[in-house]
């Protein structure tokens, strides 16, 4: 996913849905220094895949601290992937460091096929893991990993990059505001960071655009 170095926090920020990092190490435990921020609807949630097995990690808001990603593993080589379940609109996340009781190896080989998804709450997974849909929304009810976008990328064994935000539109929002115009932010790191995005850093093979549900309907 899109990322940038946040010098003020001392982290590499990965705020978009399904953004994250992957590492291989030899040992029994992996620890990450992480930062998360709650913007009003609950804390940041991450999915941690240890040798393919998923667990969910909740980050404390406004604090950079150590979190055990996995422990008690058999001595040997392991792969850990961390992906952000919650979206940029409601949470942020960043990594400062990784350490193990063994040795961290080279970065794993990246998948050859690359997808990029532009979308709104549907792509973010707003309420996708809630038993009551989008009513009473909290970040714990959201997972970008339970969306058509992530499922499609996994089906094709592709790396995926999400550029999505709840409420985004193309022309004009149904509530008459101009706060969610994707045309003004798609070429920036994010809505909250005006840094220009370097499109050469991630060149997708396939681009999927799924936006329009928030646009004003003209009759």
């Amino acid at each position: 996913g899109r990322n940038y170095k946040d010098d003020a926090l001392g982290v590499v920020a990965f705020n978009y849905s399904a953004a994250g990092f992957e590492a291989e190490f030899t040992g029994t435990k992996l620890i990450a220094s992480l930062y998360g921020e709650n913007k009003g609807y609950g804390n940041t949630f991450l999915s941690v895949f240890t040798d393919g097995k998923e667990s969910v990690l909740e980050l404390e808001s406004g604090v950079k601290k150590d979190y055990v990603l996995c422990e008690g593993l058999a001595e040997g080589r392991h792969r850990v992937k961390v992906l952000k379940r919650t979206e940029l609109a409601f949470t942020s996340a960043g990594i400062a460091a990784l350490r193990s009781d063994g040795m961290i190896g080279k970065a794993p080989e990246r998948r050859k096929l690359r997808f990029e998804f532009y979308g709104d709450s549907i792509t973010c997974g707003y309420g996708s893991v809630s038993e009551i849909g989008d009513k009473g929304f909290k970040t714990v009810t959201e997972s970008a990993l339970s969306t058509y976008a992530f499922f499609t990328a996994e089906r094709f064994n592709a790396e995926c990059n999400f550029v999505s935000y709840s409420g985004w539109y193309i022309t004009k929002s149904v509530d008459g505001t101009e706060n969610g115009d994707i045309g003004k932010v798609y070429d920036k790191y994010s809505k909250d960071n005006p840094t220009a995005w370097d499109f050469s850093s991630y060149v997708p093979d396939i681009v999927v655009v799924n936006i329009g549900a928030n646009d004003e309907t003209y009759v």
Side-chain angles (χ1 to χ4, degrees), residues 165-173 177-188 191 211 214-215:
Y165 196 102
S166 286
W168 266 359
Y169 58 87
I170 299 174
T171 56
K172 186 177 181 181
S173 173
T177 68
E178 296 184 358
N179 296 322
D181 186 349
I182 188 174
K184 295 180 180 179
V185 295
Y186 81 96
D187 57 351
K188 309 298 190 295
K191 180 180 177 181
I211 300 177
N214 297 308
D215 284 70

Side-chain angles (χ1 to χ4, degrees), residues 66-175:
D66 286 349
Y67 294 87
V68 176
L69 300 181
C70 58
E71 62 182 343
L73 304 178
E75 187 71 47
R77 190 174 184 178
H78 303 280
R79 177 177 288 197
V80 173
K81 177 187 286 188
V82 177
L83 298 175
K84 191 167 180 278
R85 296 167 65 91
T86 49
E87 65 173 290
L88 166 67
F90 309 122
T91 62
S92 61
I95 178 171
L98 276 176
R99 73 175 190 271
S100 168
D101 60 349
M103 180 180 295
I104 297 177
K106 295 181 180 180
E109 184 177 350
R110 297 177 68 166
R111 298 179 181 183
K112 292 181 171 56
L113 184 61
R114 295 184 177 184
F115 287 2
E116 188 159 64
F117 297 91
Y118 290 82
D120 48 32
S121 57
I122 296 171
T123 301
C124 293
Y126 186 98
S128 63
V129 289
S130 171
E131 294 181 355
I132 57 173
D134 62 1
K135 295 181 176 63
F137 176 79
K138 296 291 182 182
T139 55
V140 70
T141 70
E142 178 176 59
S143 176
L145 279 58
S146 294
T147 64
Y148 77 93
F150 190 78
F151 291 153
T152 300
E154 287 296 293
R155 174 64 179 80
F156 288 92
N157 192 33
E159 187 172 330
C160 59
N161 193 36
F162 284 45
V163 184
S164 58
Y165 196 102
S166 286
W168 266 359
Y169 58 87
I170 299 174
T171 56
K172 186 177 181 181
S173 173
V174 292
D175 62 9

Side-chain angles (χ1 to χ4, degrees), residues 25-47:
F25 73 101
T26 301
T28 67
K29 178 168 63 175
L30 187 65
I31 298 171
S33 176
L34 300 169
Y35 174 84
E37 185 177 348
N38 173 345
K39 298 180 182 180
Y41 288 88
N43 289 334
T44 303
F45 286 87
L46 309 176
S47 278

